[in-house]
Amino acid sequence: MHLAERVGRIQPSLTLELAAKASAMLKAGEPVINLTVGEPDFPTPRHVRQAAFEAMEKGYTKYTASAGILELRKAVATMLNTKWGTSYEPSQIVIGSGAKETLANAILATCQAGDEVIIPAPYWLSYPEMVRLAHATPVIIPLRAEDGFKLTPRILEQAITPRTRMVIINSPSNPTGVAYDGEELQALVSVLAERHVWVLSDEIYSRLVYDGRPHYSLASYEAIRDRLILIDGWSKAYAMTGWRVGFMAAPPQVASAVVRLQSHTTSHPCSISQWAALAALTGPEDDVVAMVKEFERRRNMAYERLLAIPDLPCRKPEGAFYLFADARAYLHCGWQGTPIATSLRLCEYLLESQRLALVPGSVFGAEGFLRLSYAARYDRVAEGLDRLKAGLRALRGESS
Ligand code: PLP
């Protein structure tokens, strides 16, 4: 018996594997600091949980429309239209089981064998795998830390070929925390508007931007709206990772193709989660505001501590909840008789010697970097940074 060729094309999620290893060590009583996971450590807001109870009590426990409940699609359309001056109809909104499912379905609905999909690196690790699942080819465009990890019109223009079917843009970004401003997006839009390509804009971290800056969305650019597939959701903004709800706003033909796909796979996201998501979107925002403030406090502390580590440059992130540090200066150091040649090996070293779990940059297409999530408790992030400093010092044979 054999497995389908398509599963051989894709890699398992390494971040989940590393997180699992760290949690197994924690369970075994080891004092691990786990800064791998991209998941807020806050509870889902009380009124959202309450709405879920009420939904169950009201009997909203049955199948829903494949695109999601109309009330939620209307609320998403209204939110987007108010924020970005769009005119989305509820029929252009699809509710999926997390942003992840809507991303995968968007790619499956638009890309096929022979198509190229442009993915700027560092990238969220599922994009290339989703593209491969669709039998299309991921075209990775490496962005340099020295250039702020940003796509420029020139780089984008050079990357687009007649085979390009889609360009993926993720702002704020996982893993770098980079967020484009309006001018930078406008410059990219001027290139995209001239080309016949789908634009997949993953804005799952849209609510997590700091220093009082606004989020800039590709939805606000009329010139590409007939090609734009906008993805966002509830996981990160409302601490709702386990509820599995996300949404897509797309041109009508894409939205209906995705609904068709979804209707034969997952049908729709959990009915109770959809009612909870509606309460999140239309209810008080105090919890979100407080959470963002706390993330900003952690980012400031973590960033300051990182800066104090020699030869570990890091760009100050504008959004999301990650720091992406350049550890290339440490890759030549020896451990257990051999040089640490990769970021994965460096993460193994930090886990074994410091009980600190981080994610290697290689899984995001940026070898030599380390991703540190500050979506963990303030004191744990602080302790993690201390361990990182101690681990890197020890690697160079310096005592801490
Ligand atoms: N997009 C990016 C960039 C992410 O980092 C994640 C989760 O880590 C997702 C999408 C998936 O989000 P969800 O939990 O809503 O499926």
Side-chain angles (χ1 to χ4, degrees), residues 19-77:
K21 192 168 172 187
S23 352
M25 286 170 76
L26 262 172
K27 260 198 187 139
E30 303 209 34
V32 171
I33 298 281
N34 183 0
L35 303 183
T36 62
V37 190
E39 171 167 69
D41 61 324
F42 295 87
T44 300
R46 181 179 295 278
H47 70 279
V48 176
R49 288 180 274 146
Q50 194 58 39
F53 281 121
E54 282 165 19
M56 283 188 275
E57 288 306 315
K58 285 181 186 156
Y60 296 159
T61 51
K62 312 282 187 193
Y63 290 132
T64 73
S66 265
I69 55 172
L70 184 60
E71 290 84 344
L72 186 53
R73 283 183 286 136
K74 273 189 182 160
V76 170

Side-chain angles (χ1 to χ4, degrees), residues 98-100 103 124 127 170 174 202 204-205 235-236 244:
K100 204 177 228 177
L103 279 162
W124 181 51
Y127 300 141
N170 170 217
N174 176 4
D202 179 353
I204 187 74
Y205 295 99
S235 300
K236 317 286 178 176
R244 310 311 301 134

Side-chain angles (χ1 to χ4, degrees), residues 124-187:
W124 181 51
L125 76 176
S126 291
Y127 300 141
E129 310 306 331
M130 289 174 178
V131 169
R132 287 189 191 102
L133 265 182
H135 295 260
T137 307
V139 175
I140 309 298
I141 307 297
L143 303 176
R144 288 161 21 109
E146 296 75 7
D147 302 333
F149 289 127
K150 279 186 180 163
L151 195 58
T152 62
R154 212 169 72 86
I155 300 174
L156 180 60
E157 203 151 35
Q158 284 171 353
I160 296 176
T161 74
R163 290 187 151 211
T164 306
R165 177 63 65 118
M166 174 180 271
V167 176
I168 300 182
I169 295 176
N170 170 217
S171 174
S173 150
N174 176 4
T176 61
V178 165
Y180 289 82
D181 66 25
E183 247 174 61
E184 290 160 339
L185 285 186
Q186 176 62 65

